[in-house]
Amino acid sequence: MIKKPGYAILALLTYGIIESLLLGYKYYIILAVLLFFTVAFEVIYFNIYGSGVVSRISVKRESDTVKFRKNRKFKITLHFVNGNKYPVTVHFFDEGIDILEISGNTGGNIRIPANGYHDIEYWIVPRYIGKYQFGNIRITVSDLFHIASIQKTFLSRSEIHISPSMSDIKSSRSEMLSSFLYTFGNHYSHKVGQGYNLYGVRPYTFDDDPRFIVWSRYDEANNNLLVKQMEEEREITIIFIVDYSTSMNYGSSDRIYDRAVLDIINSSYFMVKNRDNVGFLLYSDAIKVYIPPDKGGKSIESLEREVSDLIPSGNFNPLSAIKYLEKKQKKNALLFLITASSSAAESIGYQRNLTIFIVNHESYYDYKPEGEFDALLIHDARFREVNSLARTASRIRNRGVRCAYVNRSNMMQRILFEYNYGRSMNKGAS
């Protein structure tokens, strides 16, 4: 491939030949012809010779780990190998991917020794969870006069699987639990029956077990014996239905799905600490991942692995998601549906034991207004969005379905609040 300076030189020499022919400068004609054919021969020879040089150069991208986590720093190494019998200078460029914060040298000129190798190192910090394809690596070799070049692209087949950050999963380590958040996980779901905790006393009937008669007390007013009424612990099952469509893949510093998954994981650890069962359904018309409920934390670990293999795609239909879940989950369960599509949420009619969380996507953008007028416009847009979500949530609640709109800062608190309410009402209990 001829570079722009090469075309300029050839054009200038051609003009010189024509001009010298018209003006009769025979010595200038000879010089111009010699220079023209020298440059042309250089370009032709380089294209024949250079293609062989480039074909004997290889590049491999290597990393210091196969397990990536969000917000952690990892080292990437580009391993260049020169199969030629002489040193070669190449220009390289690693395209990378836009979800990474990259520091270090990802492009420039390097000299690879004869039959040797050269390594380039740089560092990456993943910003979002999911599965991503690394970009290609391009190398370019130029001729001696830098008027022609040959480029070779190494197609990347390496993938990066990014899991949630362990530093953000606070509730997985008990020493990091704050007293404020822990109050959202109080365990008080009980069922009146033959359990172990005293619920109260009531008048004795002939069907009662005499062992539970309270002999120290007597209902003198009604001339009745009193019997203990006990209560037993009940486990409940919570299943998160997560909208994993493109509507969740928006945001600037945080993507909606990225932050939502983190809040769901943290909330789930509280629920597991209460010995409740937690399951998950990541759903769109392109993604259907069901993780059965578990009270030992294995389902949460499965969720972390699954989200590192996915990027939200497709469209979300909540009614289809609920029907899909009913085929998978036969037992009674408390359902938490999280979506960024208010129109999808509003299509849901009455559903037993369902709570809907509509995400305010505007809260996931970090606007930087320039001047007072821009700040006023942004404030007005956000105010109208909140009012719209509030009206949508109100219409859904009027159908008998619990619904709340959430933002980047309060999603976890709202989930745990609804979890507390559901436990107090024994929703999702077997």
Side-chain angles (χ1 to χ4, degrees):
M1 180 180 69
I2 304 177
K3 295 182 179 180
K4 289 182 179 180
Y7 284 112
I9 293 172
L10 290 174
L12 183 62
L13 291 174
T14 303
Y15 174 78
I17 293 172
I18 295 172
E19 185 180 31
S20 59
L21 285 172
L22 295 174
L23 299 177
Y25 299 146
K26 60 180 181 179
Y27 296 109
Y28 185 73
I29 293 174
I30 296 172
L31 178 63
V33 169
L34 287 175
L35 289 175
F36 179 86
F37 281 103
T38 300
V39 173
F41 176 78
E42 163 72 12
V43 172
I44 295 171
Y45 176 76
F46 174 75
N47 277 276
I48 297 173
Y49 158 80
S51 59
V53 172
V54 172
S55 66
R56 290 187 287 271
I57 298 175
S58 62
V59 184
K60 184 179 180 181
R61 185 191 285 112
E62 300 171 344
S63 62
D64 59 351
T65 181
V66 295
K67 296 182 179 179
F68 295 85
R69 285 196 176 270
K70 178 184 173 183
N71 296 334
R72 281 187 58 190
K73 196 173 184 179
F74 301 95
K75 183 172 71 174
I76 300 294
T77 302
L78 298 181
H79 186 67
F80 295 85
V81 178
N82 180 17
N84 296 284
K85 297 180 181 180
Y86 36 81
V88 178
T89 299
V90 303
H91 179 86
F92 78 95
F93 177 70
D94 188 349
E95 294 178 355
I97 44 180
D98 61 356
I99 57 93
L100 300 175
E101 292 180 2
I102 300 177
S103 58
N105 190 11
T106 59
N109 294 318
I110 58 171
R111 185 174 178 81
I112 312 174
N115 292 318
Y117 68 90
H118 186 90
D119 289 341
I120 294 292
E121 295 179 351
Y122 63 89
W123 299 86
I124 64 170
V125 179
R127 294 190 295 169
Y128 309 117
I129 62 174
K131 181 180 73 172
Y132 301 90
Q133 187 84 23
F134 264 114
N136 300 323
I137 303 171
R138 298 198 304 268
I139 64 169
T140 305
V141 177
S142 299
D143 69 314
L144 183 64
F145 301 108
H146 298 286
I147 60 176
S149 65
I150 295 177
Q151 187 178 95
K152 183 178 180 180
T153 299
F154 295 87
L155 300 178
S156 172
R157 296 183 180 178
S158 55
E159 292 179 340
I160 178 172
H161 300 253
I162 305 172
S163 301
S165 169
M166 285 302 296
S167 62
D168 289 334
I169 306 176
K170 302 180 180 64
S171 55
S172 63
R173 297 183 291 274
S174 58
E175 65 268 19
M176 297 187 69
L177 296 177
S178 68
S179 58
F180 171 73
L181 289 177
Y182 189 76
T183 58
F184 279 99
N186 287 336
H187 185 77
Y188 57 81
S189 179
H190 299 280
K191 174 187 177 183
V192 176
Q194 299 302 318
Y196 300 98
N197 298 326
L198 178 64
Y199 177 74
V201 294
R202 59 173 175 79
Y204 174 79
T205 64
F206 291 106
D207 295 330
D208 292 326
D209 191 333
R211 292 177 299 172
F212 293 101
I213 295 176
V214 186
W215 297 105
S216 60
R217 296 185 62 180
Y218 183 75
D219 185 4
E220 296 180 355
N222 297 308
N223 199 25
N224 283 329
L225 292 173
L226 297 177
V227 65
K228 294 178 182 178
Q229 191 172 17
M230 312 301 288
E231 64 180 2
E232 62 182 353
E233 290 287 349
R234 300 194 73 183
E235 294 178 353
I236 72 169
T237 299
I238 305 98
I239 297 181
F240 289 90
I241 303 175
V242 186
D243 175 359
Y244 234 66
S245 67
T246 52
S247 65
M248 296 285 281
N249 196 9
Y250 289 96
S252 51
S253 59
D254 282 322
R255 298 288 173 89
I256 299 175
Y257 78 93
D258 187 284
R259 185 69 193 183
V261 166
L262 177 62
D263 288 337
I264 288 169
I265 289 175
N266 279 322
S267 303
S268 299
Y269 272 114
F270 283 107
M271 299 169 188
V272 168
K273 288 178 185 295
N274 278 344
R275 303 183 299 279
D276 287 326
N277 300 280
V278 184
F280 309 94
L281 174 62
L282 309 179
Y283 193 88
S284 74
D285 57 9
I287 297 172
K288 296 177 179 62
V289 177
Y290 172 67
I291 302 174
D294 175 80
K295 63 179 178 181
K298 293 182 179 179
S299 61
I300 306 175
E301 296 173 2
S302 297
L303 176 65
E304 291 185 37
R305 289 193 298 270
E306 291 291 347
V307 296
S308 67
D309 289 334
L310 299 171
I311 298 177
S313 61
N315 300 310
F316 180 66
N317 186 326
L319 298 178
S320 297
I322 294 171
K323 289 180 181 179
Y324 180 85
L325 180 61
E326 288 174 349
K327 297 178 182 178
K328 298 288 185 179
Q329 174 69 20
K330 302 300 182 182
K331 294 182 179 180
N332 187 33
L334 175 60
L335 306 181
F336 288 162
L337 189 150
I338 299 173
T339 179
S341 174
S342 57
S343 59
E346 200 163 6
S347 67
I348 302 175
Y350 174 74
Q351 295 286 337
R352 182 169 174 263
N353 291 347
L354 174 66
T355 300
I356 302 173
F357 300 92
I358 307 175
V359 181
N360 177 9
H361 59 85
E362 285 291 330
S363 64
Y364 287 81
Y365 287 94
D366 297 324
Y367 296 106
K368 296 180 180 179
E370 298 180 358
E372 185 177 347
F373 182 70
D374 281 354
L376 186 63
L377 288 177
I378 292 170
H379 175 77
D380 181 64
R382 286 183 163 175
F383 180 76
R384 285 188 281 108
E385 179 67 18
V386 169
N387 281 344
S388 175
L389 292 177
R391 289 193 297 269
T392 300
S394 178
R395 287 192 294 269
I396 294 173
R397 286 193 294 267
N398 290 337
R399 301 174 194 159
V401 179
R402 293 186 67 83
C403 181
Y405 61 92
V406 295
N407 56 42
R408 179 168 58 178
S409 61
N410 72 352
M411 182 183 294
M412 182 178 173
Q413 286 81 359
R414 291 298 306 179
I415 290 173
L416 292 176
F417 176 84
E418 293 297 333
Y419 165 66
N420 246 8
Y421 173 79
R423 295 194 104 267
S424 67
M425 302 299 292
N426 275 323
K427 292 185 176 182
S430 302

XYZ file of all heavy atoms in Angstrom, residues 166-215:
418
model
N -15.436 -8.228 44.062
C -15.595 -8.747 45.423
C -15.628 -7.621 46.445
O -16.261 -7.744 47.488
C -14.445 -9.703 45.743
C -14.558 -11.069 45.071
S -16.081 -11.949 45.487
C -15.856 -12.185 47.242
N -14.939 -6.523 46.164
C -14.952 -5.406 47.111
C -16.324 -4.760 47.205
O -16.648 -4.114 48.199
C -13.922 -4.356 46.691
O -14.238 -3.832 45.415
N -17.155 -4.935 46.146
C -18.505 -4.370 46.167
C -19.520 -5.309 46.804
O -20.610 -4.882 47.173
C -18.963 -4.039 44.744
C -18.220 -2.856 44.164
O -17.751 -2.023 44.974
O -18.102 -2.767 42.941
N -19.173 -6.587 46.889
C -20.108 -7.550 47.488
C -19.855 -7.561 48.985
O -19.237 -8.464 49.548
C -19.935 -8.947 46.863
C -20.065 -8.865 45.352
C -20.968 -9.917 47.420
C -19.808 -10.166 44.643
N -20.322 -6.538 49.667
C -20.019 -6.339 51.089
C -20.687 -7.395 51.968
O -20.125 -7.858 52.948
C -20.474 -4.943 51.525
C -19.850 -3.805 50.743
C -20.351 -2.475 51.251
C -19.729 -1.327 50.478
N -20.102 -1.317 49.069
N -21.898 -7.762 51.622
C -22.652 -8.641 52.510
C -22.159 -10.068 52.494
O -22.633 -10.884 53.257
C -24.135 -8.611 52.123
O -24.297 -8.944 50.777
N -21.189 -10.396 51.624
C -20.640 -11.745 51.640
C -19.653 -11.936 52.784
O -19.233 -13.037 53.074
C -19.951 -12.054 50.307
O -18.859 -11.174 50.124
N -19.285 -10.844 53.443
C -18.381 -10.935 54.594
C -19.060 -10.265 55.777
O -19.351 -9.079 55.767
C -17.053 -10.248 54.269
C -16.303 -10.905 53.145
C -14.960 -10.240 52.908
N -15.131 -8.891 52.369
C -15.269 -8.651 51.073
N -15.273 -9.639 50.212
N -15.395 -7.419 50.640
N -19.291 -11.031 56.818
C -20.118 -10.564 57.928
C -19.511 -9.352 58.626
O -20.227 -8.516 59.175
C -20.323 -11.692 58.950
O -19.067 -12.155 59.437
N -18.165 -9.234 58.624
C -17.563 -8.104 59.321
C -17.825 -6.779 58.636
O -17.628 -5.719 59.217
C -16.048 -8.322 59.453
C -15.290 -8.341 58.126
C -15.158 -9.743 57.580
O -15.948 -10.607 58.019
O -14.290 -9.954 56.725
N -18.332 -6.819 57.383
C -18.595 -5.596 56.643
C -20.058 -5.180 56.704
O -20.456 -4.202 56.082
C -18.163 -5.761 55.189
C -16.689 -6.001 54.998
S -16.201 -5.996 53.270
C -16.423 -4.269 52.872
N -20.875 -5.945 57.450
C -22.288 -5.597 57.520
C -22.473 -4.374 58.410
O -22.013 -4.338 59.535
C -23.093 -6.772 58.096
C -23.110 -8.054 57.264
C -23.871 -9.127 58.011
C -23.760 -7.798 55.934
N -23.156 -3.394 57.907
C -23.469 -2.235 58.736
C -24.733 -2.517 59.524
O -25.585 -3.289 59.113
C -23.669 -0.994 57.855
O -24.836 -1.129 57.081
N -24.862 -1.905 60.677
C -26.040 -2.135 61.506
C -27.312 -1.649 60.819
O -28.389 -2.210 61.001
C -25.881 -1.409 62.851
O -25.687 -0.024 62.632
N -27.182 -0.628 59.977
C -28.370 -0.121 59.280
C -28.919 -1.139 58.300
O -30.104 -1.452 58.289
C -28.022 1.172 58.551
C -29.117 1.655 57.637
C -30.273 2.206 58.164
C -28.985 1.551 56.268
C -31.285 2.649 57.321
C -29.985 1.983 55.429
C -31.137 2.529 55.955
N -28.025 -1.677 57.459
C -28.477 -2.649 56.467
C -28.911 -3.942 57.107
O -29.804 -4.617 56.628
C -27.360 -2.913 55.446
C -27.063 -1.778 54.476
C -25.898 -2.163 53.583
C -28.272 -1.467 53.621
N -28.270 -4.324 58.215
C -28.595 -5.619 58.812
C -30.021 -5.651 59.342
O -30.657 -6.704 59.396
C -27.616 -5.938 59.943
C -27.763 -7.342 60.458
C -27.261 -8.414 59.718
C -28.420 -7.611 61.642
C -27.402 -9.705 60.158
C -28.575 -8.903 62.099
C -28.054 -9.941 61.358
O -28.203 -11.219 61.796
N -30.559 -4.490 59.731
C -31.939 -4.477 60.229
C -32.924 -4.856 59.143
O -34.037 -5.285 59.439
C -32.307 -3.079 60.776
O -32.133 -2.116 59.729
C -31.438 -2.719 61.956
N -32.533 -4.721 57.873
C -33.421 -5.121 56.788
C -33.503 -6.634 56.658
O -34.369 -7.143 55.987
C -32.922 -4.532 55.456
C -33.312 -3.110 55.269
C -32.420 -2.100 55.543
C -34.577 -2.772 54.820
C -32.768 -0.772 55.362
C -34.929 -1.458 54.633
C -34.026 -0.455 54.905
N -32.584 -7.375 57.319
C -32.577 -8.812 57.166
C -33.068 -9.555 58.388
O -32.712 -10.709 58.593
N -33.832 -8.911 59.256
C -34.339 -9.600 60.442
C -35.156 -10.813 60.052
O -35.921 -10.794 59.098
C -35.206 -8.655 61.278
C -34.361 -7.624 61.997
O -33.190 -7.848 62.242
N -34.966 -6.493 62.326
N -35.004 -11.884 60.848
C -35.653 -13.154 60.525
C -36.866 -13.330 61.437
O -36.724 -13.611 62.613
C -34.644 -14.287 60.744
C -35.157 -15.617 60.323
N -35.233 -16.001 59.016
C -35.634 -16.653 61.048
C -35.702 -17.224 58.932
N -35.966 -17.635 60.157
N -38.054 -13.111 60.893
C -39.218 -13.262 61.762
C -40.416 -13.849 61.034
O -41.561 -13.559 61.342
C -39.613 -11.923 62.414
C -39.900 -10.811 61.454
C -41.132 -10.712 60.813
C -38.940 -9.852 61.185
C -41.400 -9.688 59.930
C -39.201 -8.827 60.308
C -40.427 -8.743 59.686
O -40.671 -7.732 58.817
N -40.196 -14.689 60.044
C -41.305 -15.332 59.352
C -41.700 -16.592 60.104
O -40.916 -17.530 60.224
C -40.894 -15.696 57.915
O -41.958 -16.334 57.269
N -42.893 -16.609 60.661
C -43.350 -17.742 61.457
C -44.716 -18.191 60.978
O -45.447 -17.459 60.333
C -43.443 -17.376 62.948
C -42.125 -16.961 63.533
N -41.179 -17.857 63.925
C -41.618 -15.724 63.772
C -40.128 -17.207 64.412
N -40.367 -15.908 64.316
N -45.055 -19.423 61.336
C -46.363 -19.994 61.042
C -46.903 -20.598 62.325
O -46.200 -21.324 63.039
C -46.249 -21.074 59.963
C -47.541 -21.821 59.699
C -47.313 -22.978 58.756
C -48.602 -23.762 58.548
N -48.384 -24.948 57.693
N -48.153 -20.285 62.630
C -48.761 -20.841 63.831
C -48.942 -22.343 63.624
O -49.501 -22.791 62.631
C -50.115 -20.170 64.119
C -50.786 -20.836 65.310
C -49.920 -18.682 64.379
N -48.436 -23.133 64.548
C -48.533 -24.589 64.451
C -47.797 -25.229 65.608
O -47.570 -24.607 66.643
N -47.411 -26.487 65.461
C -46.741 -27.197 66.535
C -45.228 -26.964 66.441
O -44.450 -27.849 66.121
C -47.057 -28.698 66.450
C -48.524 -29.015 66.585
C -49.099 -28.486 67.898
O -48.464 -28.596 68.950
N -50.281 -27.913 67.841
N -44.829 -25.740 66.675
C -43.423 -25.397 66.623
C -42.812 -25.354 67.996
O -43.230 -26.056 68.920
N -41.814 -24.487 68.161
C -41.069 -24.447 69.406
C -41.183 -23.118 70.135
O -40.801 -23.006 71.287
C -39.587 -24.734 69.126
C -39.372 -26.087 68.503
C -39.218 -26.218 67.128
C -39.329 -27.230 69.294
C -39.020 -27.457 66.548
C -39.142 -28.479 68.727
C -38.985 -28.591 67.347
O -38.801 -29.823 66.782
N -41.691 -22.095 69.481
C -41.791 -20.780 70.096
C -43.224 -20.521 70.547
O -44.178 -20.831 69.831
C -41.368 -19.686 69.107
C -39.920 -19.848 68.679
O -39.092 -20.279 69.461
N -39.642 -19.506 67.428
N -43.359 -19.943 71.737
C -44.684 -19.641 72.276
C -45.272 -18.436 71.580
O -44.675 -17.361 71.560
C -44.588 -19.386 73.786
C -45.906 -19.011 74.467
C -46.906 -20.173 74.384
C -45.652 -18.613 75.915
N -46.444 -18.636 70.984
C -47.136 -17.555 70.308
C -48.132 -16.873 71.243
O -48.329 -15.670 71.175
C -47.851 -18.127 69.077
C -48.667 -17.112 68.315
C -48.052 -16.159 67.521
C -50.061 -17.122 68.393
C -48.791 -15.227 66.819
C -50.807 -16.195 67.699
C -50.167 -15.255 66.908
O -50.907 -14.343 66.211
N -48.759 -17.643 72.142
C -49.746 -17.121 73.080
C -50.564 -18.268 73.658
O -50.187 -19.441 73.558
N -51.664 -17.925 74.280
C -52.568 -18.942 74.835
C -53.974 -18.687 74.314
O -54.320 -17.569 73.926
C -52.561 -18.920 76.386
C -51.202 -19.335 76.929
C -52.959 -17.539 76.909
N -54.786 -19.772 74.299
C -56.174 -19.678 73.852
C -56.983 -20.734 74.612
O -56.408 -21.641 75.240
C -56.262 -19.901 72.353
C -55.736 -21.241 71.885
C -56.006 -21.451 70.409
N -55.403 -22.677 69.917
C -55.898 -23.900 70.084
N -57.037 -24.064 70.788
N -55.292 -24.971 69.607
N -58.309 -20.656 74.560
C -59.144 -21.649 75.257
C -58.913 -23.057 74.713
O -58.701 -23.257 73.512
C -60.570 -21.168 74.982
C -60.436 -19.714 74.711
C -59.121 -19.552 74.029
N -58.921 -24.023 75.597
C -58.703 -25.424 75.250
C -59.925 -25.992 74.535
O -61.068 -25.694 74.884
C -58.411 -26.214 76.533
C -58.313 -27.705 76.329
C -57.165 -28.281 75.807
C -59.394 -28.531 76.657
C -57.073 -29.647 75.607
C -59.304 -29.900 76.469
C -58.149 -30.463 75.933
O -58.082 -31.825 75.753
N -59.655 -26.806 73.484
C -60.729 -27.541 72.811
C -60.406 -29.025 72.877
O -59.266 -29.422 73.183
C -60.856 -27.110 71.328
O -59.642 -27.466 70.640
C -61.090 -25.614 71.211
N -61.402 -29.861 72.594
C -61.214 -31.301 72.721
C -60.201 -31.852 71.711
O -59.687 -32.957 71.895
C -62.553 -32.030 72.562
C -63.486 -31.769 73.710
C -64.583 -30.935 73.563
C -63.253 -32.352 74.950
C -65.440 -30.688 74.628
C -64.105 -32.103 76.015
C -65.210 -31.271 75.869
N -59.922 -31.092 70.646
C -58.973 -31.561 69.640
C -57.525 -31.284 70.022
O -56.604 -31.765 69.355
C -59.255 -30.894 68.287
C -60.614 -31.304 67.729
O -61.037 -32.433 68.019
O -61.216 -30.486 66.996
N -57.294 -30.476 71.058
C -55.938 -30.091 71.439
C -55.229 -31.203 72.198
O -55.855 -32.032 72.878
C -55.959 -28.827 72.293
C -56.385 -27.611 71.496
O -56.056 -27.560 70.299
O -57.059 -26.726 72.064
N -53.900 -31.190 72.067
C -53.068 -32.140 72.816
C -53.019 -31.697 74.271
O -52.638 -30.554 74.565
C -51.663 -32.145 72.196
C -50.795 -33.275 72.723
O -51.030 -33.719 73.860
O -49.885 -33.697 71.979
N -53.371 -32.571 75.204
C -53.366 -32.193 76.637
C -51.992 -31.774 77.137
O -51.895 -31.085 78.160
C -53.846 -33.465 77.341
C -54.585 -34.228 76.301
C -53.903 -33.929 75.009
N -50.936 -32.160 76.421
C -49.593 -31.791 76.876
C -49.360 -30.279 76.843
O -48.471 -29.769 77.525
C -48.540 -32.475 75.990
C -48.478 -33.999 76.137
C -47.461 -34.575 75.169
N -47.815 -34.274 73.784
C -47.009 -34.530 72.753
N -45.816 -35.055 72.952
N -47.404 -34.247 71.520
N -50.174 -29.574 76.049
C -49.977 -28.134 75.917
C -50.916 -27.320 76.805
O -50.973 -26.102 76.686
C -50.159 -27.718 74.447
C -49.097 -28.260 73.535
C -49.343 -29.361 72.747
C -47.839 -27.678 73.500
C -48.375 -29.872 71.913
C -46.862 -28.178 72.660
C -47.116 -29.287 71.874
N -51.641 -27.987 77.708
C -52.503 -27.249 78.641
C -51.638 -26.475 79.630
O -50.652 -26.987 80.170
C -53.431 -28.217 79.398
C -54.412 -28.873 78.414
C -54.201 -27.475 80.497
C -55.302 -29.908 79.059
N -52.016 -25.236 79.852
C -51.283 -24.389 80.806
C -51.960 -24.569 82.168
O -52.959 -23.899 82.477
C -51.303 -22.912 80.371
C -50.415 -22.069 81.287
C -50.863 -22.762 78.928
N -51.418 -25.485 82.976
C -52.081 -25.803 84.251
C -51.967 -24.676 85.258
O -52.764 -24.607 86.198
C -51.467 -27.082 84.835
C -51.679 -28.286 83.957
C -50.769 -28.887 83.180
C -52.911 -28.976 83.771
N -51.319 -29.936 82.487
C -52.658 -30.016 82.841
C -54.217 -28.837 84.267
C -53.626 -30.911 82.419
C -55.180 -29.735 83.852
C -54.901 -30.745 82.934
